[in-house]
Amino acid sequence: MEKTKLKIILLGDSGVGKTSLLKRYNDKDFKQLHNSTIYVDLVTKEICIAERQVILQIWDTAGQERFKSLPSRFYRDTDCCVLVYDVNTLKTFESIDNWHDEFIKQANPETPTKFPFVLMGNKTDVNNGKPRVVAKEIADQWCGSKGNIVYFETSAKAKINVEEAFLEIAKKALTNERQIDDMERYRSVVPTIEKETPRSRCSC
Amino acid sequence: MRTLAGVEDEDKWLAEGIAGIQHNAFFMHRALDANNLREVLKYSALMLSELRTSKLSPQKYYDLYMRAFDQLRQLEIFFKDESRHGLPVVDLYELVQHAGNILPRMYLLCTVGSVYIKSKQAPSKDVLKDLVEMCRGVQHPIRGLFLRSYLAQVSRDKLPEIGSDYEGDANTVMDAVEFVLQNFTEMNKLWVRIQHQGPGTVREKQEKERNELRDLVGKNLHVLGQIEGVDLEMYKETVLPRVLEQVVNCKDKLAQYYLMECIIQVFPDEYHLQTLETLLAACTQLMPTVDTKIVLTQLMDRLSNYAASSPDVLHEFLQVEAFAKLSNAIGKVIDTQLEMPIVGAMTLFVSLLTFTLRVHPDRLDYVDQVLGACVVKLSSVPKLEDARAMKQVVALLSAPLEKYSDIVTALTLSNYPRVMDHLDDGTNKVMAMLIIQSIMKTDSCISTADKVEVLFELIKGLIKDLDETNAEELDEEDFQEEQNSVARLIHMLDNEEPEEMLKIICVVRRHLMTGGPRRLPFTVPPLVFSAVRLVRQLESQGGDIAGEDSATPRKIFQILNQTIEVLTSVPCPELALRLYLQCAEAASDCDLEPVAYEFFTQAFMLYEEEIADSKAQVTAIHLIVGTLQRINVFGVENRDTLTHKATGYSARLLKKPDQCRAVYACSHLFWVDDPDGIKDGERVLLCLRRALRIANAAQQMASATRGSSGPVTLFVEILNKYIYFFEKGNPHITPSDIQSLIELINNEMQSDNGNTTIHSDPFFTSTLRYIKFIKQKGGLMGEKYDPIKL
């Protein structure tokens, strides 16, 4: 049986815990990260959904400091976009709008209002006796205004909702899998007559 | 090699490359669907050949690479499914090595290698070692970088680290580390090599392109920081030395700067702390063109944040002697880089000081040591003229003020004033203002003469002119703001111990006296009031008669006399007069008659000789009379002398109305409304009658000049004085006196208004109404008013 490959990307400000979430999901022990993700990282994970073998290709991105540096190519052919913010830092939630809009602009999905997003509010374990800054109701409101985006409250550290979130992400990605077969995509741009292979310019 | 191509050309070449990839990917996918291994290998190799281009800039090459990368993910799925291609992975690993060109061959090999590791049919370390070695075959910088980046990507989750599926024997972590280090080393060499290609004219563009590639190299360090099992020992013995060796030896400015930054960001704080010496040694070996100060600043920020995260880690800092090592390293960097501008050195000192204040706030010797090093550096340049460097020095001097809520702590730093001496006059003033504002904000109390001495040395930019040749005139408003700040500061100097407070006053006085005529009017008053406050404190304590050095009111008044005298030559006679009167009153409260008399003598001398303006004279005479009235220390002879002078000068003011008012004010000198006060009713009456004569004279003068009498205001005012003293029980004021005065006023008003008898003066009207009210009310006071007919 052929395995389905699904591309998922994580977007969000620097420091919200995207990499920690990914590591936790990938069965790694939580390790306090001391730095921002440099550039882009990729995790491949095979799972089974509804008796279907799926390969998740999850891209972990750098945060704010690389906001404009990701080539548009990176966003394309994404099956599900995950937006991550820190429930204890208001600025990271306010940036979600920008990340959402940036993705729509760069990825240019056929039907933007129906493209699957998932929002994650991370670091719910961090309290230090203080009330969290972004209330769940506020996040739910935002999700409703963007076409009922699914929302998870997570903690990579305390292992809260991480499995559940990524399972939902995989399901949404699977549902959104490109209806157009890869074959169709290439057939439209390639001439039917096979070209002769050009002579090699270099011997190595 | 790539020529000087335009952007349009690159876009065309990129489009061609993408088209080539898509073309071959199409056929590759067809072969994948047919499970035709031979065709798959053929078309995938052709597709990957597109990456052999030399025409693209790094950014565009990245775009092309990502297209290929996506396809390789499909290929990997195919390779993983033995049932589709029919070969064991070990045979597949062998087969792909037959690809004709090395670049496609290596991409295929890495892809199959990834599957090979995952199959666990061979140890992860063996396959990785094979791959990292074979990638040496691609030495073209951009191609090699992206190839190794691909290797790093696909191997990321297959390293034989602790806890992974591919964990090996006891040496497993070292195997993982070795692989990543080797890949990193090779990538860095490729990265550095880019700069040696092409003519010098493209150097600038080349540098920009190299910057675009740096994350590919830095990613390896990121991976090193994430490998499970890399403990402090391994980091200290293997990881850091190997990385730093590559950093230092690559002799490339761009790489050194970026990689040091990565090291600081990627590894844990405690690792940095425990390997601080090694890390700092590398910093001092970086090329002079590297902006080492930013690297060191980042490191210190990182460490001070770590120290702030928990009080438990402080002992680690002490154990490794972090401050000493940082201090030495910074000194060495500054000494080595002779070309470093002064602003760079100052920036480093600011960072070191910030670190020190955050990690070791209780170690004032460390703080002072940083300031001392700063002094040495500043002394090595002829004159500090760089505005940015000046700004850094201000930041350096501001840091202790912000850190220590008790400003006095900063004053104990012996090098602090030495740093300030290197500021220009303008900046020195700015700094002085910051110091004063800091004291005001924290409500600090400076309580010893020694500290006051230090403080005034620090703010001397505001206390006196530092540069005699500086003719620049400060905006008057700014100047006043400055001096008012100094004045406010003086009120913050206090000590409960009289002897120490007297010393403080003497120190302040000595400094203020150097201020010059423009400053003294602002600064002397608060000093005088501080001294007067001390006198009152001594008096309330029933001052002990101690030895020579003890503070006594008499001694303080001596100082005050000399201090105020300076104001007379500024000249500020009005201000000096006020201060003399304040002192006289204070001396009176201390029962020091000769001293009080002396202060009044000084006041009268100023009045006679210095105050010429008639309005100023009026104000002065009332101040004198008011103060004299409150004083009860004088004997009969001294009192008569002073009151005689006061009444005499009152009668000789320039204008009649002013004379009149001053003279009737003098009446209070002879009737003090308290049980022990003087009660000389006869002389009160004499003053009032004299005032009446002056009022009459004023009225006649007005009548002569305007043909009609002037307002009766003066008469009404005098009437109210009569009433006041009448009610106070002055026996010399009789009802008939009041009756006569009322009739006089009525006559004056009638002559002014023809034959009408209307009382049109509101003051007079309300005065008469008052008398009626008292009469109607009856009682003892009412009876006194009975003889008066209205």
Side-chain angles (χ1 to χ4, degrees):
Chain A
M1 145 174 50
E2 182 177 345
K3 296 172 184 174
T4 305
K5 189 208 70 159
L6 300 170
K7 180 177 177 181
I8 294 159
I9 62 170
L10 299 179
L11 296 177
D13 277 3
S14 174
V16 297
K18 301 186 293 297
T19 304
S20 298
L21 284 166
L22 198 53
K23 288 175 70 70
R24 172 65 77 188
Y25 178 55
N26 206 26
D27 292 330
K28 289 291 184 66
D29 287 334
F30 181 83
K31 184 177 181 181
Q32 191 75 50
L33 294 178
H34 303 278
N35 64 298
S36 300
T37 304
I38 295 178
Y39 218 58
V40 173
D41 204 352
L42 169 70
V43 166
T44 301
K45 188 175 172 72
E46 293 190 35
I47 63 174
C48 187
I49 304 178
E51 300 188 19
R52 187 166 173 177
Q53 207 65 24
V54 172
I55 298 175
L56 295 181
Q57 189 182 85
I58 308 173
W59 292 85
D60 181 21
T61 63
Q64 187 66 47
E65 68 272 27
R66 301 284 191 224
F67 189 84
K68 296 299 179 183
S69 73
L70 292 174
S72 62
R73 175 64 202 149
F74 169 74
Y75 289 93
R76 290 186 193 154
D77 302 328
T78 299
D79 296 298
C80 182
C81 178
V82 182
L83 304 168
V84 186
Y85 76 98
D86 177 353
V87 297
N88 305 294
T89 310
L90 180 60
K91 176 181 161 294
T92 63
F93 178 71
E94 291 170 340
S95 296
I96 290 296
D97 247 354
N98 286 339
W99 286 112
H100 178 274
D101 295 345
E102 179 73 7
F103 177 83
I104 294 292
K105 185 174 80 174
Q106 299 287 355
N108 196 24
E110 290 182 15
T111 314
T113 54
K114 292 186 177 175
F115 188 87
F117 284 89
V118 169
L119 179 67
M120 294 171 101
N122 193 34
K123 300 196 183 183
T124 55
D125 60 287
V126 178
N127 45 27
N128 293 326
K130 304 176 197 171
R132 48 181 286 177
V133 173
V134 184
K136 183 177 186 298
E137 291 72 24
I138 303 295
D140 284 335
Q141 254 177 47
W142 185 88
C143 290
S145 72
K146 297 294 179 179
N148 291 319
I149 290 173
V150 176
Y151 177 52
F152 286 92
E153 299 218 316
T154 63
S155 165
K157 192 171 193 178
K159 209 166 189 177
I160 298 172
N161 267 348
V162 177
E163 283 287 330
E164 294 84 341
F166 277 98
L167 182 61
E168 181 67 21
I169 290 163
K171 287 178 179 176
K172 284 194 165 304
L174 193 58
T175 302
N176 184 56
E177 185 194 5
R178 291 185 299 279
Q179 301 305 312
I180 303 177
D181 188 82
D182 285 359
M183 203 63 70
E184 296 297 326
R185 186 176 299 266
Y186 293 104
R187 187 171 293 115
S188 65
V189 299
V190 176
T192 53
I193 300 174
E194 179 178 339
K195 287 182 177 179
E196 183 179 357
T197 306
R199 185 178 299 108
S200 168
R201 291 181 297 267
C202 179
S203 59
C204 64
Chain B
M1 287 304 161
R2 184 157 44 92
T3 58
L4 287 170
V7 176
E8 308 81 29
D9 285 337
E10 280 204 37
D11 283 335
K12 181 167 66 73
W13 292 325
L14 174 59
E16 286 180 2
I18 292 175
I21 286 181
Q22 287 177 336
H23 175 93
N24 289 294
F26 168 76
F27 289 107
M28 184 186 80
H29 278 278
R30 214 158 65 164
L32 287 171
D33 290 343
N35 293 333
N36 187 333
L37 178 59
R38 192 182 68 85
E39 291 288 292
V40 164
L41 293 180
K42 172 188 171 184
Y43 286 111
S44 59
L46 287 173
M47 175 187 71
L48 290 165
S49 286
E50 297 296 337
L51 293 174
R52 294 167 57 209
T53 179
S54 300
K55 297 177 175 177
L56 297 178
S57 66
Q59 196 166 40
K60 298 204 184 298
Y61 191 93
Y62 176 83
D63 210 336
L64 192 67
Y65 164 85
M66 287 299 296
R67 305 276 180 158
F69 183 91
D70 259 5
Q71 301 304 327
L72 287 172
R73 301 274 64 72
Q74 302 290 336
L75 193 58
E76 184 177 356
I77 295 173
F78 173 76
F79 285 156
K80 198 175 297 179
D81 194 345
E82 186 174 331
S83 65
R84 294 174 64 186
H85 52 70
L87 278 185
V89 65
V90 61
D91 292 343
L92 196 56
Y93 188 73
E94 182 73 23
L95 182 60
V96 296
Q97 294 180 48
H98 297 313
N101 298 114
I102 189 169
L103 193 61
R105 182 196 313 156
M106 288 312 307
Y107 273 105
L108 291 173
L109 194 59
C110 290
T111 308
V112 176
S114 172
V115 175
Y116 197 7
I117 294 171
K118 219 171 179 89
S119 73
K120 298 182 185 175
Q121 295 178 33
S124 171
K125 71 163 184 170
D126 290 344
V127 179
L128 291 176
K129 186 172 180 62
D130 207 26
L131 294 174
V132 78
E133 289 289 338
M134 281 203 270
C135 282
R136 287 180 190 269
V138 181
Q139 288 295 326
H140 182 278
I142 293 181
R143 297 182 209 148
L145 272 172
F146 277 97
L147 172 63
R148 288 188 176 275
S149 178
Y150 180 72
L151 171 59
Q153 187 76 64
V154 297
S155 66
R156 178 66 190 87
D157 58 344
K158 303 177 184 70
L159 297 174
E161 56 190 312
I162 290 178
S164 81
D165 288 346
Y166 314 99
E167 185 175 356
D169 55 18
N171 215 42
T172 192
V173 178
M174 187 59 73
D175 293 332
V177 166
E178 190 63 38
F179 166 77
V180 179
L181 278 176
Q182 201 169 337
N183 202 41
F184 161 74
T185 300
E186 295 297 327
M187 287 184 81
N188 193 47
K189 289 176 181 174
L190 291 165
W191 187 35
V192 170
R193 188 179 306 151
I194 294 177
Q195 69 177 327
H196 300 302
Q197 296 184 324
T201 51
V202 300
R203 188 56 50 86
E204 183 176 310
K205 187 187 177 194
Q206 216 166 48
E207 187 143 316
K208 175 177 172 294
E209 290 179 353
R210 287 193 59 212
N211 254 319
E212 292 170 356
L213 291 166
R214 66 183 201 180
D215 286 337
L216 300 181
V217 185
K219 187 59 184 297
N220 292 283
L221 298 184
H222 179 83
V223 171
L224 277 174
Q226 298 297 308
I227 292 178
E228 293 289 345
V230 176
D231 55 15
L232 174 59
E233 189 68 16
M234 180 171 294
Y235 176 79
K236 183 186 291 189
E237 299 299 326
T238 302
V239 174
L240 186 62
R242 287 273 297 276
V243 172
L244 289 180
E245 179 190 354
Q246 177 61 212
V247 172
V248 170
N249 290 340
C250 73
K251 295 281 190 281
D252 176 70
K253 163 191 165 186
L254 200 63
Q256 286 187 337
Y257 175 79
Y258 173 70
L259 293 174
M260 289 302 294
E261 195 179 19
C262 282
I263 291 169
I264 291 167
Q265 292 302 324
V266 159
F267 295 106
D269 303 297
E270 57 184 316
Y271 286 19
H272 291 325
L273 194 57
Q274 298 298 335
T275 59
L276 193 55
E277 193 154 14
T278 305
L279 205 51
L280 293 175
C283 285
T284 62
Q285 297 171 54
L286 299 179
M287 291 173 58
T289 48
V290 173
D291 198 347
T292 310
K293 68 178 187 293
I294 295 185
V295 174
L296 286 168
T297 296
Q298 288 176 5
L299 178 59
M300 286 186 278
D301 284 350
R302 191 68 198 269
L303 291 175
S304 51
N305 284 332
Y306 179 50
S309 67
S310 167
D312 300 333
V313 304
L314 181 58
H315 78 277
E316 290 180 40
F317 282 83
L318 297 171
Q319 207 170 37
V320 305
E321 296 178 343
F323 172 79
K325 289 175 178 173
L326 286 164
S327 224
N328 290 337
I330 286 173
K332 209 173 289 184
V333 166
I334 292 176
D335 288 346
T336 302
Q337 302 195 5
L338 301 180
E339 301 302 322
M340 180 184 287
I342 190 68
V343 62
M346 291 303 113
T347 303
L348 275 172
F349 286 128
V350 171
S351 295
L352 179 57
L353 185 61
T354 302
F355 169 88
T356 307
L357 291 170
R358 293 181 73 181
V359 179
H360 305 293
D362 55 324
R363 294 297 299 266
L364 292 181
D365 53 324
Y366 285 176
V367 177
D368 208 26
Q369 187 177 320
V370 178
L371 294 175
C374 186
V375 170
V376 172
K377 183 62 183 177
L378 288 169
S379 302
S380 69
V381 297
K383 185 173 169 62
L384 194 61
E385 289 171 349
D386 184 342
R388 292 176 306 148
M390 197 79 69
K391 194 172 180 182
Q392 290 297 323
V393 176
V394 170
L396 187 80
L397 293 167
S398 301
L401 302 181
E402 290 157 15
K403 178 62 186 182
Y404 300 115
S405 56
D406 180 8
I407 189 64
V408 175
T409 307
L411 299 180
T412 61
L413 304 169
S414 61
N415 283 304
Y416 198 99
R418 296 189 190 121
V419 175
M420 281 197 69
D421 283 346
H422 288 279
L423 298 172
D424 61 32
D425 290 346
T427 310
N428 199 292
K429 286 181 176 180
V430 169
M431 195 61 234
M433 288 290 283
L434 287 175
I435 291 172
I436 294 178
Q437 283 159 16
S438 182
I439 294 172
M440 296 296 140
K441 188 190 307 177
T442 59
D443 203 30
S444 306
C445 185
I446 316 297
S447 58
T448 67
D450 291 341
K451 288 170 179 166
V452 171
E453 185 75 59
V454 173
L455 174 59
F456 272 71
E457 188 64 28
L458 292 180
I459 65 171
K460 63 187 178 186
L462 301 177
I463 299 300
K464 61 185 178 185
D465 293 327
L466 296 175
D467 189 353
E468 296 302 334
T469 62
N470 183 12
E472 179 189 353
E473 278 303 321
L474 195 61
D475 173 77
E476 184 62 26
E477 204 169 291
D478 287 342
F479 179 79
Q480 288 180 19
E481 176 64 25
E482 278 183 6
Q483 295 306 306
N484 282 332
S485 292
V486 176
R488 282 196 291 271
L489 173 67
I490 294 170
H491 288 296
M492 305 297 293
L493 314 178
D494 192 32
N495 192 306
E496 290 183 358
E497 190 62 36
E499 279 72 34
E500 190 65 29
M501 187 58 199
L502 179 54
K503 287 182 188 172
I504 288 175
I505 289 170
C506 290
V507 169
V508 174
R509 181 174 171 277
R510 174 159 45 81
H511 282 280
L512 296 185
M513 290 300 113
T514 64
R518 290 185 72 211
R519 292 189 177 82
L520 290 171
F522 293 96
T523 54
V524 166
L527 176 63
V528 168
F529 282 102
S530 278
V532 167
R533 189 168 67 224
L534 176 57
V535 166
R536 298 194 189 286
Q537 177 190 333
L538 284 170
E539 189 64 15
S540 68
Q541 288 174 359
D544 49 346
I545 313 103
E548 183 66 24
D549 284 339
S550 65
T552 64
R554 187 175 301 275
K555 186 181 295 183
I556 296 170
F557 285 128
Q558 203 167 23
I559 295 170
L560 283 167
N561 198 7
Q562 295 165 21
T563 303
I564 299 172
E565 187 172 358
V566 174
L567 279 180
T568 64
S569 61
V570 163
C572 283
E574 291 93 346
L575 179 59
L577 183 135
R578 288 170 182 264
L579 296 177
Y580 276 132
L581 293 177
Q582 290 286 336
C583 292
E585 189 164 0
S588 170
D589 292 342
C590 293
D591 220 19
L592 296 173
E593 182 179 7
V595 177
Y597 188 85
E598 176 64 22
F599 282 126
F600 265 104
T601 301
Q602 297 290 340
F604 276 119
M605 281 177 57
L606 282 174
Y607 179 88
E608 293 162 12
E609 299 172 9
E610 305 290 346
I611 301 181
D613 178 70
S614 67
K615 284 187 178 179
Q617 285 184 338
V618 171
T619 301
I621 205 66
H622 281 278
L623 286 169
I624 292 173
V625 169
T627 305
L628 190 53
Q629 194 266 355
R630 286 198 296 276
I631 288 177
N632 54 23
V633 74
F634 292 123
V636 172
E637 184 176 345
N638 282 338
R639 179 167 193 80
D640 283 353
T641 302
L642 294 174
T643 55
H644 184 73
K645 278 179 177 286
T647 55
Y649 287 128
S650 295
R652 289 198 291 274
L653 288 172
L654 182 63
K655 298 176 179 177
K656 293 291 180 190
D658 290 333
Q659 287 179 17
C660 178
R661 292 187 169 106
V663 168
Y664 74 58
C666 286
S667 64
H668 290 274
L669 293 175
F670 306 103
W671 192 282
V672 177
D673 190 24
D674 76 65
D676 301 326
I678 184 175
K679 301 291 196 295
D680 190 343
E682 183 178 7
R683 297 177 78 165
V684 168
L685 184 57
L686 286 176
C687 282
L688 295 183
R689 283 182 176 169
R690 192 172 184 182
L692 266 177
R693 286 197 296 275
I694 297 171
N696 266 317
Q699 199 75 336
Q700 289 174 21
M701 190 178 299
S703 178
T705 57
R706 296 201 300 263
S708 66
S709 60
V712 295
T713 305
L714 287 178
F715 292 109
V716 180
E717 288 174 11
I718 297 170
L719 172 59
N720 277 271
K721 287 299 178 187
Y722 269 84
I723 291 172
Y724 171 84
F725 286 111
F726 177 67
E727 292 192 3
K728 290 298 178 182
N730 183 344
H732 292 87
I733 307 292
T734 64
S736 65
D737 290 322
I738 297 176
Q739 183 79 64
S740 298
L741 189 47
I742 292 174
E743 289 171 1
L744 172 61
I745 295 170
N746 277 320
N747 289 338
E748 290 294 326
M749 290 174 65
Q750 284 177 14
S751 68
D752 189 44
N753 295 317
N755 292 326
T756 178
T757 59
I758 296 173
H759 304 317
S760 63
D761 185 275
F763 190 14
F764 185 48
T765 301
S766 58
T767 303
L768 295 182
R769 185 164 61 241
Y770 170 77
I771 296 175
K772 283 177 187 171
F773 168 78
I774 296 297
K775 291 180 71 172
Q776 289 168 10
K777 202 173 79 158
L780 203 57
M781 188 63 65
E783 287 178 19
K784 293 183 66 175
Y785 279 102
D786 271 347
I788 299 172
K789 309 236 174 346
L790 300 175

